[in-house]
Amino acid sequence: SVALPPAPPPGAPPPPPEPPAPPGYPPDWPMRPPVVFGRQPYTVGCSTQCRQNGGCYRAYWSSFTAFDGGLIPGFRGNVTIKRCTTIIIDFDLDLQFYSIVVW
């Protein structure tokens, strides 16, 4: 007996379905944290002395209001962080300073 090859398919397979639509974008870029300007007051962990003298504040290093004069300290700068102020370093700080004074 002789074996014959199978018969060819009746036609080409159907095309694949259309890909789904891309997702919509959120209102703001997800890879960027919210921008916070200015000093923000806080009370948890604030000492009594600070509360009596205006309260405690926190600010991001990259915020122009974090330091007096509105200038962000740069290479070989002198940095002074006042009492009752918390500075949050919000980026890779790879700079050389002459001094950092916290009082």
Side-chain angles (χ1 to χ4, degrees), residues 5 7 12 16 19 23 32 35 37 40 49 64 73-74 76-77 91 93-94 103:
R32 292 180 61 180
V35 178
F37 293 107
Q40 298 174 331
Q49 181 183 11
F64 62 91
R76 293 189 176 174
F91 63 94
L93 188 62
D94 187 19
W103 57 275

Side-chain angles (χ1 to χ4, degrees), residues 20-30:
Y25 291 100
D28 198 7
W29 298 357

Side-chain angles (χ1 to χ4, degrees), residues 39-56:
R39 299 181 324 153
Q40 298 174 331
Y42 69 94
T43 56
V44 175
C46 186
S47 69
T48 304
Q49 181 183 11
C50 289
R51 277 189 243 133
Q52 293 171 350
N53 292 315
C56 293

Side-chain angles (χ1 to χ4, degrees), residues 1-84:
S1 121
V2 175
L4 298 174
E18 289 292 321
Y25 291 100
D28 198 7
W29 298 357
M31 65 284 281
R32 292 180 61 180
V35 178
V36 178
F37 293 107
R39 299 181 324 153
Q40 298 174 331
Y42 69 94
T43 56
V44 175
C46 186
S47 69
T48 304
Q49 181 183 11
C50 289
R51 277 189 243 133
Q52 293 171 350
N53 292 315
C56 293
Y57 293 91
R58 72 172 58 95
Y60 288 96
W61 184 282
S62 62
S63 175
F64 62 91
T65 60
F67 301 97
D68 286 341
L71 299 175
I72 299 171
F75 179 70
R76 293 189 176 174
N78 294 313
V79 179
T80 301
I81 300 173
K82 292 183 176 181
R83 181 179 296 130
C84 306

